[in-house]
Amino acid sequence: MLDKLTYAGTLGNLDLGHPRLEFVEGDVCDAGLVDKVMAGTDQVVHFAAESHVDRSIQAPADFVQTNVVGTHTLLDAALRHGVRTFVHVSTDEVYGSVDHGSADERWPLRPSSPYSASKASADLLALAQHRTHGLDVRITRCSNNYGPHQFPEKIVPLFVTNLLDGGRVPLYGDGGNVRDWLHVDDHCHGIDLVRTRAGPARCTTSAAAPS
């Protein structure tokens, strides 16, 4: 496992004593380190990303660096080392707003924030490596996650902690937006199914419009 341990990461969330876990602290943009970690690897599951929309508006360059350059660095190393399967964990936000029905992998990409634009860019880089070099790329585009250990800037823990402190919860837009939520355990189960059972160059998505 390679992780930079930014403001939202902590070793306390990991079982460092697990015999199948080897933790390396580092940046996915560090080509030398990524090359070293990738050697001998047959599968990659790429979770690493800057993911907070509000922060992307304030500091978009950080999102381009991690989400676009970092993904390119991983893909480049995966090709050099003959990685068999590369699972790229993306987001349904690459589709933008869905007014009616739901989006699938044939839906046009219409990102509406620097975060979602950086993830869409990373998706296209991954798909290009499949089409150009035959890398077995599998992309997931999940809806919003919630669950244990989530950093409190995210909406569910933010609402809960605000209410526990006797505060108020923020209203986004006019209050009419509808979001889809998935527990992190279900998301991880889905990612593992994609890793073990899906075919190459596939996208799975669960973006839904308001009912």
Side-chain angles (χ1 to χ4, degrees):
M1 177 180 180
L2 175 64
D3 195 291
K4 192 177 178 181
L5 293 180
T6 60
Y7 72 94
T10 173
L11 288 176
N13 292 340
L14 301 176
D15 180 6
L16 295 175
H18 196 288
R20 297 180 62 189
L21 175 64
E22 179 183 352
F23 176 76
V24 178
E25 183 174 354
D27 191 337
V28 291
C29 297
D30 183 339
L33 177 61
V34 168
D35 193 69
K36 185 183 300 183
V37 172
M38 197 73 71
T41 298
D42 64 344
Q43 293 186 325
V44 172
V45 181
H46 173 30
F47 286 91
E50 294 282 352
S51 63
H52 191 54
V53 173
D54 291 348
R55 287 180 182 268
S56 79
I57 295 170
Q58 298 165 4
D62 294 341
F63 286 70
V64 173
Q65 183 68 17
T66 298
N67 300 351
V68 181
V69 177
T71 298
H72 163 73
T73 304
L74 290 170
L75 288 165
D76 188 53
L79 284 171
R80 282 198 308 276
H81 290 282
V83 166
R84 179 163 53 87
T85 302
F86 191 105
V87 181
H88 174 60
V89 181
S90 186
T91 171
D92 66 343
E93 292 196 35
V94 299
Y95 299 119
S97 297
V98 180
D99 296 328
H100 305 284
S102 59
D104 62 21
E105 56 265 32
R106 296 165 296 182
W107 198 266
L109 303 186
R110 294 183 296 190
S112 55
S113 70
Y115 161 60
S116 56
S118 68
K119 292 297 287 184
S121 300
D123 290 8
L124 295 176
L125 282 172
L127 290 172
Q129 294 290 29
H130 166 70
R131 291 169 182 146
T132 303
H133 298 289
L135 180 64
D136 178 0
V137 168
R138 307 174 186 193
I139 297 175
T140 67
R141 291 173 177 157
C142 185
S143 59
N144 297 276
N145 278 205
Y146 70 97
H149 309 298
Q150 191 170 34
F151 194 73
E153 70 183 1
K154 301 296 185 178
I155 193 168
V156 172
L158 176 67
F159 278 25
V160 171
T161 53
N162 279 8
L163 292 170
L164 287 173
D165 291 339
R168 305 179 69 180
V169 297
L171 177 68
Y172 290 84
D174 61 5
N177 295 334
V178 176
R179 305 290 293 275
D180 187 67
W181 296 91
L182 183 68
H183 194 277
V184 64
D185 288 349
D186 294 323
H187 187 194
C188 289
H189 180 64
I191 290 170
D192 197 51
L193 286 175
V194 170
R195 181 186 66 86
T196 56
R197 299 188 186 181
R202 295 291 300 276
C203 297
T204 62
T205 183
S206 59
S211 58

